[in-house]
Amino acid sequence: MRMYRRYGEITWEGAEAASAQAAATAVKVAERPKAPGRSQSAPRRERTSFSTVRLLGVELHAVTEKRTIEFILDELDAGKGGVVVTPNLDHLRRCTRDLSFGALVAEADLVVADGMPLIWASRLQGTPLPQRVAGSDLISSLSAGAAKRGRSIFLLGGATGTAEAAAKILQFAEPSLKITGHYCPPFGFEKDDHEIGRIVNLLASAQPDIVFVALGSPKQEYLIQRIRKFLPSAWWLGVGVSFSFLCGDVRRAPRWMQKIGLEWIHRFAQEPRRLFHRYIMVGLPFGTKLLGKSAARGLTNRFRRPVTVNQILTETITVPTNGNGHARPETSPLLRGGIRPRVANRRATGDRANNVGTDAPLSSVSHPRNLARLRAVVLLGGSVRATPLSESINRSLLDLPLDANGSIFNHWLAHAADLARHAGLERLPVRVMVNRNTPEPMSATAPYYGAFRVERDLSEYRGTGGILRDLAVDYADDDLILVCNGSQVLVDPLAAIATALDRKHGDVTLISHNDGTPSGVMLITCKTLRVIPDSGFVDMKEQALPAIASEHEVTVIHRRRPTGLPVRTQNDYVMALRHYHSRRSGKPTLSDPLAEDWLPAFSIVEQGATADPRAHVHDSVVLRGGIVEAGAVVVRSIVCPGGVVKRDRQAVDQLVCPILK
């Protein structure tokens, strides 16, 4: 069984899950020679020389529709494939709330604004995008360009019959256009490995140069990310409802409404019930917020003279401070005026590598990715605060089972391995830090041997800040470490979290929830840890971070949804498992705290545990050494080693421990 994890849901694919034909096709495609000059893992910012504009932390290319088409066709001529994402207001909102989707957009080779609110916001903040580039327009204009260059297209998705109808319309408009195929997968295809294999087979046989995917967002973006590896030399574009627009099943707004940004009203008038929540309840408030923030930044920019890279290298820029004279942590995805003072040298180096002129305006400078400087994932696996769960299981919390295939520790090691591949690192050690009273994690499976080491802190009075200070002596000042609280189950992939942290360019970057609690993942530049005393107790949150902020830039990303779920208590652990297994099975997770979901999501009986087949174990875990007898009912509970649920008895919301005599 192999695990593929990117930035969407986790998918498990094995030989038994796909057809033999799909597997053979995948092998054939993988064995084809790579297109010259194509680096499969190259960050998109190294692929283009276009300037970028940031809106709420999302970078969009400042490019016209004509230049977009020319770029895609030129890349095809050079044997290079890629992905185009066309964010609208709803995409932008999703990027600010979902790290997985935001990281996926950040990795696209070309990101162009499909939505007039984004154009208005860019103008208000003083960094105007030249033009709206709509996916619904690109499907026609890019197809026309492809016909002139002798390139082929494939239409994937859409409502039943729309792909075929759209293909006929495009063929009629451009008789020389090569259309290698079209296919509309059935509803729910993304959960069917055989159907995914069929799509891969069709594309591998057709060998198109351009693939238009019309499935709606974010489904189309996640599908592209999942299957593009089978056709790496093609260009992929998610085009939403465009097939229906082309064939007339959905009427598009008149051109004058598109130009002044009223296309959404036309769409809403056609499907008011379906679009009411998206456009009225969510879109209008978010759009108003976006324009308000952009206008505020624009006013600030009007009173600030233009800054160039040369000026940053030669001048000292004043950093906004709080009342204590300390640098304010960033609370917005875009610093005012686009100025990031403490990373000037780092950015300038990357810009020269990308051949950007040193007198270019700062807003046009690309942001290099720094995860290549990541040296370790530091997993904090022990705490001096014991809980009933940790005292009852006789093992590390990291050794608690997550599913039938592995523990929470394996979950972290898999995420770290994926992060290493994402960052282009040959190896990324996982350093597990435990205190002198905490059991060491012992559940790592063979594939991860040698990828981690467990280090025990024998001092009771050092604190997390002190431990990190001692650990930092192993690294250079500019090295990065990713510090994670191990007692959690990640909601977002670690690679997505690290990417989001890295894009903020702080010396220390952390994620904060709306209630002010940290997420348990921090990206730290090792030089910042030198300010911590080399002896004595130092708490990271209360003592170390304020000291670091006085000398370095501490950046905070505010998040409504947590990036990880804690497992410190019995209730925490059960809720984290419910969320994890619900997502794996494709069920939506409940956001309403008053909503009820009585259907069980999981049942885990560890090897070495005894659970009679006539017992009912729902949303519960029976650890090795635990016993559940016939007729017993166990709901949302943990049966610890030595714990027994007697015949025909019930255990609901309990931590079942041995009875002490």
Coordinates of all heavy atoms in Angstrom, one line a residue, residues 459-528:
S459 N 16.8 17.5 32.3 CA 16.5 18.6 33.2 C 15.1 18.9 33.3 O 14.3 18.9 32.3 CB 17.2 19.9 32.7 OG 16.9 21.0 33.5
E460 N 14.6 19.1 34.5 CA 13.2 19.3 34.8 C 12.9 20.8 34.7 O 11.7 21.2 34.6 CB 13.0 18.8 36.2 CG 11.8 18.4 36.6 CD 11.6 17.7 37.9 OE1 12.6 17.4 38.6 OE2 10.4 17.6 38.2
Y461 N 13.9 21.6 34.6 CA 13.7 23.1 34.8 C 14.2 23.9 33.6 O 14.8 24.9 33.8 CB 14.3 23.5 36.1 CG 13.9 22.8 37.3 CD1 14.8 21.8 37.9 CD2 12.7 22.9 37.9 CE1 14.4 21.1 39.0 CE2 12.3 22.2 39.0 CZ 13.1 21.3 39.5 OH 12.8 20.5 40.6
R462 N 14.0 23.4 32.4 CA 14.5 24.1 31.2 C 13.4 24.8 30.4 O 13.6 25.9 29.9 CB 15.3 23.1 30.3 CG 16.2 23.8 29.3 CD 17.4 24.5 30.0 NE 18.2 25.2 29.0 CZ 18.2 26.5 28.7 NH1 17.4 27.3 29.4 NH2 19.0 27.0 27.8
G463 N 12.3 24.1 30.3 CA 11.2 24.7 29.6 C 11.4 24.6 28.1 O 12.5 24.3 27.6
T464 N 10.3 24.7 27.3 CA 10.3 24.5 25.9 C 11.3 25.5 25.2 O 12.1 25.2 24.3 CB 8.9 24.7 25.2 OG1 8.0 23.8 25.9 CG2 9.0 24.4 23.7
G465 N 11.3 26.8 25.6 CA 12.2 27.8 25.1 C 13.6 27.4 25.3 O 14.5 27.5 24.4
G466 N 13.9 26.9 26.5 CA 15.3 26.5 26.8 C 15.7 25.3 26.0 O 16.9 25.2 25.6
I467 N 14.8 24.4 25.8 CA 15.2 23.2 25.0 C 15.5 23.6 23.6 O 16.5 23.1 23.0 CB 14.0 22.2 25.1 CG1 13.9 21.6 26.5 CG2 14.2 21.1 24.0 CD1 12.6 20.7 26.7
L468 N 14.7 24.5 23.0 CA 15.0 24.9 21.7 C 16.3 25.7 21.6 O 17.0 25.6 20.6 CB 13.8 25.7 21.1 CG 12.5 24.9 21.0 CD1 11.4 25.9 20.5 CD2 12.6 23.8 20.0
R469 N 16.5 26.5 22.6 CA 17.8 27.2 22.6 C 19.0 26.3 22.6 O 20.0 26.5 21.9 CB 17.9 28.1 23.9 CG 19.2 28.7 24.2 CD 19.7 29.6 23.2 NE 21.0 30.3 23.6 CZ 22.2 29.8 23.5 NH1 22.3 28.5 23.0 NH2 23.2 30.5 23.9
D470 N 18.9 25.2 23.4 CA 20.0 24.2 23.4 C 20.1 23.5 22.1 O 21.2 23.2 21.6 CB 19.8 23.2 24.5 CG 19.8 23.9 25.9 OD1 20.2 25.1 26.0 OD2 19.2 23.3 26.9
L471 N 19.0 23.2 21.5 CA 19.0 22.5 20.2 C 19.6 23.3 19.1 O 20.2 22.8 18.2 CB 17.6 22.0 19.9 CG 17.2 21.2 18.6 CD1 16.1 20.3 18.9 CD2 16.8 22.2 17.5
A472 N 19.4 24.6 19.1 CA 19.7 25.5 18.0 C 21.3 25.6 17.8 O 21.7 26.1 16.8 CB 19.2 26.9 18.2
V473 N 22.0 25.2 18.8 CA 23.5 25.2 18.7 C 24.0 24.3 17.5 O 25.1 24.5 17.1 CB 24.2 24.9 20.0 CG1 23.8 25.9 21.1 CG2 23.9 23.5 20.4
D474 N 23.1 23.4 17.1 CA 23.5 22.4 16.1 C 23.4 23.0 14.7 O 23.8 22.4 13.7 CB 22.7 21.2 16.1 CG 22.9 20.4 17.4 OD1 23.9 20.6 18.1 OD2 22.0 19.6 17.8
Y475 N 22.8 24.3 14.6 CA 22.5 24.8 13.3 C 23.1 26.2 13.1 O 23.4 26.9 14.1 CB 21.0 24.8 13.1 CG 20.3 23.5 13.3 CD1 19.6 23.2 14.4 CD2 20.5 22.5 12.4 CE1 19.0 22.0 14.6 CE2 19.9 21.2 12.5 CZ 19.1 21.0 13.7 OH 18.6 19.8 13.9
A476 N 23.2 26.6 11.8 CA 23.6 28.0 11.5 C 22.5 29.0 11.8 O 21.3 28.6 11.9 CB 24.1 28.0 10.1
D477 N 22.9 30.3 11.8 CA 21.9 31.3 12.1 C 20.7 31.3 11.2 O 19.6 31.5 11.6 CB 22.6 32.7 12.1 CG 23.4 33.0 13.4 OD1 23.3 32.2 14.3 OD2 24.1 34.0 13.4
D478 N 21.0 31.1 9.9 CA 19.9 31.2 8.9 C 19.2 29.9 8.6 O 18.2 29.9 7.8 CB 20.5 31.7 7.5 CG 20.8 33.2 7.6 OD1 20.2 33.9 8.4 OD2 21.7 33.6 6.8
D479 N 19.5 28.8 9.3 CA 18.8 27.6 9.2 C 17.4 27.7 9.8 O 17.2 28.5 10.8 CB 19.6 26.5 9.9 CG 20.8 26.1 9.1 OD1 20.9 26.4 7.9 OD2 21.7 25.4 9.7
L480 N 16.5 26.9 9.3 CA 15.1 26.9 9.8 C 14.8 25.6 10.4 O 15.3 24.5 10.0 CB 14.1 27.1 8.6 CG 14.2 28.4 7.9 CD1 13.2 28.4 6.7 CD2 13.8 29.6 8.8
I481 N 14.0 25.6 11.5 CA 13.5 24.4 12.1 C 12.0 24.6 12.2 O 11.5 25.7 12.4 CB 14.1 24.1 13.5 CG1 13.9 25.3 14.4 CG2 15.6 23.7 13.3 CD1 14.4 24.9 15.9
L482 N 11.2 23.5 12.0 CA 9.8 23.5 12.2 C 9.5 22.8 13.5 O 9.7 21.7 13.6 CB 9.1 22.8 11.0 CG 7.6 23.0 10.9 CD1 7.2 24.4 10.5 CD2 7.1 22.0 9.8
V483 N 8.9 23.6 14.4 CA 8.7 23.1 15.8 C 7.2 22.8 15.9 O 6.3 23.6 15.6 CB 9.1 24.1 16.8 CG1 8.8 23.6 18.2 CG2 10.6 24.5 16.7
C484 N 6.9 21.5 16.3 CA 5.5 21.0 16.3 C 5.2 20.4 17.6 O 6.0 19.6 18.2 CB 5.3 20.0 15.2 SG 5.8 20.5 13.5
N485 N 4.0 20.6 18.2 CA 3.5 19.9 19.3 C 3.0 18.6 18.8 O 2.1 18.5 18.0 CB 2.4 20.7 20.0 CG 1.8 20.0 21.2 OD1 2.3 18.9 21.5 ND2 0.8 20.6 21.8
G486 N 3.7 17.5 19.3 CA 3.3 16.2 18.8 C 2.0 15.6 19.2 O 1.4 14.7 18.5
S487 N 1.4 16.2 20.2 CA 0.1 15.7 20.8 C -1.0 16.2 20.0 O -1.9 16.9 20.6 CB 0.0 16.0 22.3 OG 1.1 15.4 23.0
Q488 N -1.1 16.0 18.7 CA -2.2 16.5 17.9 C -2.2 15.7 16.6 O -1.2 15.1 16.2 CB -2.0 18.0 17.5 CG -0.8 18.3 16.8 CD -0.7 19.8 16.4 OE1 -1.7 20.4 16.0 NE2 0.5 20.4 16.6
V489 N -3.4 15.7 16.0 CA -3.6 15.1 14.7 C -3.8 16.2 13.7 O -4.7 17.0 13.9 CB -4.8 14.1 14.7 CG1 -5.0 13.6 13.3 CG2 -4.6 13.0 15.6
L490 N -2.9 16.2 12.7 CA -3.0 17.4 11.8 C -4.2 17.3 10.9 O -4.6 16.3 10.4 CB -1.7 17.3 10.8 CG -0.4 17.7 11.5 CD1 0.7 17.5 10.5 CD2 -0.4 19.1 12.0
V491 N -4.8 18.5 10.7 CA -6.0 18.7 9.9 C -5.5 19.0 8.5 O -6.0 18.5 7.5 CB -6.9 19.8 10.4 CG1 -8.0 20.1 9.4 CG2 -7.5 19.4 11.7
D492 N -4.5 19.8 8.4 CA -3.9 20.2 7.1 C -2.5 19.5 6.9 O -1.9 19.2 7.9 CB -3.6 21.7 7.0 CG -4.9 22.5 7.0 OD1 -5.7 22.3 6.0 OD2 -5.2 23.3 7.9
P493 N -2.1 19.1 5.7 CA -0.8 18.5 5.5 C 0.3 19.4 6.1 O 0.2 20.7 5.9 CB -0.7 18.4 4.0 CG -2.1 18.3 3.5 CD -2.9 19.2 4.5
L494 N 1.3 18.8 6.6 CA 2.4 19.6 7.2 C 3.1 20.4 6.1 O 3.6 21.5 6.4 CB 3.4 18.7 7.9 CG 4.5 19.4 8.8 CD1 3.9 20.1 9.9 CD2 5.5 18.3 9.3
A495 N 3.2 19.9 4.9 CA 3.8 20.7 3.8 C 3.0 21.9 3.5 O 3.6 23.0 3.2 CB 3.9 19.8 2.5
A496 N 1.7 21.9 3.6 CA 0.9 23.0 3.3 C 1.0 24.1 4.5 O 1.1 25.3 4.2 CB -0.6 22.6 3.2
I497 N 1.1 23.6 5.7 CA 1.3 24.5 6.8 C 2.7 25.2 6.7 O 2.8 26.4 6.9 CB 1.2 23.7 8.2 CG1 -0.2 23.1 8.3 CG2 1.5 24.6 9.3 CD1 -0.3 22.2 9.5
A498 N 3.7 24.4 6.4 CA 5.1 25.0 6.3 C 5.1 26.0 5.2 O 5.8 27.0 5.3 CB 6.1 23.9 6.1
T499 N 4.5 25.7 4.1 CA 4.5 26.6 3.0 C 3.8 27.9 3.4 O 4.3 29.0 3.0 CB 3.7 26.0 1.8 OG1 4.4 24.8 1.4 CG2 3.7 27.0 0.6
A500 N 2.7 27.9 4.0 CA 2.0 29.1 4.5 C 2.8 29.9 5.4 O 2.9 31.1 5.4 CB 0.6 28.7 5.1
L501 N 3.5 29.2 6.4 CA 4.4 29.9 7.3 C 5.6 30.6 6.6 O 5.9 31.7 6.8 CB 4.9 28.9 8.4 CG 3.9 28.4 9.3 CD1 4.5 27.2 10.1 CD2 3.3 29.4 10.3
D502 N 6.2 29.8 5.6 CA 7.3 30.3 4.9 C 7.0 31.6 4.1 O 7.8 32.5 4.0 CB 7.9 29.2 4.0 CG 9.0 29.7 3.1 OD1 10.0 30.3 3.6 OD2 8.9 29.6 1.9
R503 N 5.8 31.6 3.5 CA 5.4 32.7 2.7 C 5.2 34.0 3.4 O 5.1 35.1 2.8 CB 4.1 32.4 1.9 CG 4.3 31.4 0.8 CD 2.9 30.8 0.3 NE 2.1 31.9 -0.2 CZ 2.1 32.4 -1.4 NH1 3.0 31.9 -2.2 NH2 1.3 33.3 -1.8
K504 N 5.2 34.0 4.8 CA 5.1 35.2 5.6 C 6.5 35.9 5.8 O 6.5 37.0 6.3 CB 4.4 34.9 6.9 CG 2.9 34.6 6.7 CD 2.2 35.6 6.0 CE 0.7 35.2 5.8 NZ 0.0 36.3 5.0
H505 N 7.5 35.2 5.6 CA 8.9 35.7 5.6 C 9.2 36.3 7.0 O 10.0 37.2 7.1 CB 9.1 36.8 4.6 CG 8.9 36.3 3.2 ND1 9.9 35.5 2.5 CD2 7.9 36.5 2.3 CE1 9.4 35.2 1.3 NE2 8.3 35.8 1.1
G506 N 8.7 35.8 8.1 CA 9.1 36.3 9.4 C 10.3 35.5 9.9 O 10.6 34.4 9.4
D507 N 11.0 36.0 10.9 CA 12.0 35.3 11.5 C 11.5 34.2 12.4 O 12.1 33.1 12.5 CB 12.9 36.2 12.4 CG 13.6 37.3 11.6 OD1 14.1 36.9 10.5 OD2 13.6 38.5 11.9
V508 N 10.3 34.4 13.0 CA 9.6 33.4 13.7 C 8.1 33.6 13.2 O 7.6 34.7 13.2 CB 9.6 33.5 15.2 CG1 8.7 32.5 15.8 CG2 11.0 33.3 15.7
T509 N 7.5 32.5 12.7 CA 6.1 32.6 12.2 C 5.3 31.5 12.8 O 5.7 30.3 12.9 CB 6.1 32.4 10.6 OG1 7.0 33.3 10.0 CG2 4.7 32.8 10.1
L510 N 4.2 31.9 13.4 CA 3.3 30.9 14.0 C 1.9 31.2 13.6 O 1.5 32.2 13.1 CB 3.4 30.9 15.5 CG 3.0 32.2 16.2 CD1 2.5 31.9 17.6 CD2 4.3 33.1 16.4
I511 N 1.0 30.2 13.8 CA -0.4 30.3 13.5 C -1.2 30.4 14.7 O -1.0 29.6 15.7 CB -0.9 29.1 12.6 CG1 -0.1 29.0 11.3 CG2 -2.4 29.2 12.3 CD1 -0.4 27.8 10.5
S512 N -2.1 31.4 14.8 CA -2.9 31.6 16.0 C -4.4 31.4 15.6 O -4.8 31.8 14.5 CB -2.7 33.0 16.5 OG -3.6 33.3 17.6
H513 N -5.1 30.7 16.5 CA -6.5 30.5 16.2 C -7.3 31.8 16.7 O -6.7 32.7 17.3 CB -7.1 29.3 17.0 CG -6.3 28.1 16.7 ND1 -6.2 27.0 17.6 CD2 -5.7 27.7 15.5 CE1 -5.5 26.1 17.0 NE2 -5.2 26.4 15.7
N514 N -8.6 31.9 16.3 CA -9.3 33.1 16.6 C -9.4 33.3 18.1 O -9.6 34.5 18.5 CB -10.7 33.0 16.0 CG -10.8 33.4 14.6 OD1 -9.7 33.8 14.0 ND2 -11.9 33.4 13.9
D515 N -9.4 32.3 18.9 CA -9.4 32.5 20.4 C -8.1 32.8 21.0 O -8.0 33.0 22.2 CB -10.0 31.2 21.0 CG -9.1 30.0 20.8 OD1 -8.0 30.1 20.1 OD2 -9.5 28.9 21.3
G516 N -7.1 33.0 20.1 CA -5.8 33.5 20.7 C -4.8 32.4 21.0 O -3.7 32.6 21.3
T517 N -5.3 31.1 20.9 CA -4.4 30.0 21.2 C -3.5 29.6 20.0 O -4.0 29.7 18.9 CB -5.2 28.7 21.6 OG1 -6.1 28.4 20.5 CG2 -6.0 29.0 22.8
P518 N -2.2 29.3 20.2 CA -1.4 28.9 19.1 C -1.8 27.6 18.5 O -2.4 26.7 19.2 CB 0.0 28.9 19.7 CG -0.2 28.6 21.2 CD -1.5 29.2 21.5
S519 N -1.4 27.3 17.3 CA -1.8 26.1 16.6 C -0.8 24.9 17.0 O -1.2 23.8 16.7 CB -1.7 26.3 15.1 OG -0.4 26.4 14.7
G520 N 0.3 25.2 17.5 CA 1.2 24.1 17.8 C 2.2 23.8 16.7 O 2.9 22.8 16.8
V521 N 2.4 24.7 15.7 CA 3.4 24.6 14.7 C 4.0 26.0 14.5 O 3.3 27.0 14.3 CB 2.8 24.1 13.4 CG1 3.8 24.0 12.3 CG2 2.0 22.8 13.5
M522 N 5.3 26.0 14.6 CA 6.1 27.3 14.4 C 7.2 27.1 13.4 O 7.9 26.0 13.6 CB 6.6 27.8 15.7 CG 5.5 28.3 16.7 SD 6.3 29.0 18.2 CE 7.0 27.6 18.9
L523 N 7.5 28.0 12.6 CA 8.7 28.0 11.7 C 9.7 29.0 12.3 O 9.3 30.2 12.4 CB 8.3 28.4 10.3 CG 9.4 28.2 9.2 CD1 9.9 26.8 9.1 CD2 9.0 28.7 7.9
I524 N 10.8 28.6 12.7 CA 11.8 29.4 13.5 C 13.1 29.5 12.8 O 13.7 28.4 12.4 CB 12.0 28.8 14.9 CG1 10.6 28.8 15.6 CG2 13.0 29.6 15.7 CD1 10.7 28.2 17.0
T525 N 13.6 30.7 12.6 CA 15.0 30.9 12.1 C 15.9 30.7 13.4 O 15.7 31.4 14.4 CB 15.2 32.3 11.5 OG1 14.2 32.4 10.5 CG2 16.5 32.4 10.9
C526 N 16.9 29.9 13.3 CA 17.7 29.5 14.5 C 18.4 30.7 15.1 O 18.6 30.7 16.3 CB 18.7 28.5 14.1 SG 18.0 26.9 13.7
K527 N 18.7 31.8 14.4 CA 19.4 32.9 15.0 C 18.5 33.5 16.1 O 19.0 34.1 17.0 CB 19.7 33.9 14.0 CG 18.5 34.6 13.3 CD 18.9 35.6 12.2 CE 17.7 36.2 11.5 NZ 18.1 37.2 10.5
T528 N 17.2 33.4 15.9 CA 16.3 34.0 16.9 C 16.4 33.4 18.3 O 16.1 34.0 19.3 CB 14.8 34.0 16.4 OG1 14.4 32.6 16.4 CG2 14.7 34.6 15.1

